[in-house]
Amino acid sequence: MARKKIALIGGGQIGGVLAQLIALKQLGDVVMFDVVEDMPQGKTLEIAEASRIERFDMNLKGTNDYKDIEGADLVIITAGVPRKPGMSREDLLTTNAKIMTSVANGVKEYAPNSIVIIISNPLDTMVTLFQKVSGFPHERVIGQAGVLDSSRFASFIAWELDVSVQDVNAMVLGGHGDTMVPLIRYANVNGVPVMEMLERKYQDKAKAKEVMDAMIERTRKAGGEIVALLKTGSAFFSPASAAIAMAKSILLDEKRLLPCSVYLKGEFGVEGYYVGVPAVLGENGVERVVELSLNEEEQAAFNNSVEAVKNSVANLEKLGF
Ligand code: TXD
């Protein structure tokens, strides 16, 4: 089987971790593109020089020329600017929309058959823009947000209940903004409902709800919490891990059910927008969207989050993109 070729567009903080994880997990050869001269060459050279220690045979190449991504099977895009303390993801819209337009043209020209995972913020809007400019089929353009948001939620649950995070299943739907929707009813520890565990722990329903509400609030603001601590940029280890889970499911045709930003054609009552929902990822990209029943409160929260995505996309159009 020929080795897969993975192009990373953007070789900054997340791009660097992506390259290292791809090499360590031996998912394929890496081409890292960035507009900054020499930097992607330096980063990939450095990771490659650890190949003897980590024992991988993957090739890594840095470039400032789109031609080098030619024939990539998978493209992961982190190009753009990250948030600084006090900024919302939406504040990045104008700058990142310009960058995403140039990236979409580059990918369209040199890797027209690739499957694309987008990480740049504001996430759902950047995915929308990439698809619009590239004209790629919707199932080959996917946004990463839900895998990370869900992992954050699962981590908080595991720490609260003092159980292994490996046994926690928790999912966050909706747009990648502060209105995202962590699903309480479906959160469980190896099948045991998280709410039931909280109620048994505190012997008090109101207190259990209070604790859950605090975890939900922390999940919604988790990106900002990291920005406030780092001060010079946003999360980069965990978004890279999240995108790699999606990449692996696609490259190895694992068909994992992962929450990601995918194009909806009526599912969950949404028509024509990219929003975070559970989807099966395989060799064709998004193989299908998995619908689940939401109660009134969950659907209202989801609709509210979809409104935020719609507003962001409307802003993009107002800016002329
Ligand atoms: O879960 C998620 N989706 C996210 C998204 C979680 C955290 C951060 N998220 C967003 O990812 C963040 O708001 C940013 O929009 C992106 C990338 O974050 P990163 O921390 O990697 O930013 P860096 O270190 O600034 O890297 C961005 C790189 C940098 O090297 C620039 O030179 C490059 O992008 N860049 C470009 N590359 C290619 N083409 C163009 N035009 C370009 N412009 C800048």
Side-chain angles (χ1 to χ4, degrees):
M1 198 171 80
R3 210 183 275 171
K4 298 286 187 184
K5 177 169 176 175
I6 304 163
L8 305 178
I9 312 296
Q13 297 276 70
I14 301 177
V17 182
L18 284 171
Q20 191 181 31
L21 287 175
I22 290 167
L24 294 180
K25 292 174 186 271
Q26 312 208 37
L27 293 178
D29 293 331
V30 174
V31 176
M32 179 192 281
F33 171 93
D34 204 290
V35 286
V36 178
E37 265 180 43
D38 293 340
M39 184 273 284
Q41 291 83 342
K43 266 194 193 177
T44 47
L45 176 61
E46 220 227 313
I47 295 168
E49 285 171 352
S51 60
R52 173 63 183 86
I53 307 163
E54 297 288 358
R55 291 172 186 271
F56 57 78
D57 288 309
M58 304 294 117
N59 297 318
L60 294 113
K61 180 186 170 77
T63 183
N64 306 113
D65 185 349
Y66 269 110
K67 203 173 178 326
D68 290 319
I69 72 162
E70 198 150 29
D73 300 288
L74 182 76
V75 177
I76 309 180
I77 302 172
T78 59
V81 292
R83 284 196 277 173
K84 298 216 170 61
M87 285 173 92
S88 76
R89 294 177 179 92
E90 201 58 24
D91 293 335
L92 307 173
L93 185 66
T94 314
T95 312
N96 285 354
K98 279 188 206 137
I99 294 173
M100 192 54 71
T101 303
S102 77
V103 170
N105 284 316
V107 173
K108 182 184 177 181
E109 182 166 358
Y110 292 103
N113 299 318
S114 58
I115 294 174
V116 180
I117 298 174
I118 292 158
I119 305 184
S120 315
N121 270 324
L123 193 268
D124 307 282
T125 318
M126 288 302 111
V127 183
T128 306
L129 180 61
F130 179 95
Q131 192 282 326
K132 188 172 163 187
V133 175
S134 68
F136 278 22
H138 291 107
E139 64 273 16
R140 285 204 272 121
V141 183
I142 316 161
Q144 188 301 116
V147 175
L148 171 58
D149 297 329
S150 302
S151 178
R152 285 168 167 162
F153 189 31
S155 302
F156 302 149
I157 291 169
W159 300 334
E160 166 62 32
L161 292 175
D162 197 21
V163 294
S164 164
V165 72
Q166 295 183 66
D167 290 331
V168 180
N169 300 303
M171 205 152 52
V172 178
L173 305 187
H176 185 55
D178 295 347
T179 56
M180 64 180 76
V181 188
L183 292 180
I184 306 173
R185 253 180 346 122
Y186 290 96
N188 69 78
V189 182
N190 253 353
V192 181
V194 167
M195 276 322 290
E196 182 168 342
M197 289 182 78
L198 281 173
E199 283 165 15
R200 284 176 192 271
K201 175 175 171 180
Y202 290 103
Q203 294 293 308
D204 178 349
K205 280 198 170 189
K207 174 69 186 164
K209 183 166 182 317
E210 206 178 283
V211 171
M212 174 51 89
D213 286 347
M215 289 195 289
I216 287 178
E217 193 56 15
R218 189 172 179 198
T219 301
R220 289 188 168 135
K221 304 268 171 69
E225 182 180 358
I226 300 291
V227 172
L229 291 167
L230 295 182
K231 297 187 179 70
T232 53
S234 49
F236 58 101
F237 292 111
S238 54
S241 289
I244 290 298
M246 294 166 64
K248 189 163 167 267
S249 188
I250 293 165
L251 292 167
L252 306 185
D253 195 27
E254 290 174 337
K255 304 200 192 297
R256 291 194 62 193
L257 188 157
L258 297 170
C260 24
S261 183
V262 301
Y263 190 75
L264 296 180
K265 301 171 188 156
E267 299 93 340
F268 293 92
V270 180
E271 183 87 54
Y273 283 90
Y274 271 94
V275 183
V277 296
V280 173
L281 300 187
E283 61 182 345
N284 302 311
V286 179
E287 309 230 328
R288 63 184 190 274
V289 169
V290 175
E291 288 198 88
L292 51 92
S293 52
L294 299 178
N295 64 26
E296 221 169 284
E297 197 184 334
E298 291 156 351
Q299 187 69 49
F302 184 79
N303 293 347
N304 181 40
S305 189
V306 172
E307 275 313 302
V309 174
K310 287 185 178 173
N311 284 336
S312 179
V313 172
N315 287 338
L316 185 74
E317 281 161 11
K318 268 186 230 146
L319 288 166
F321 288 97

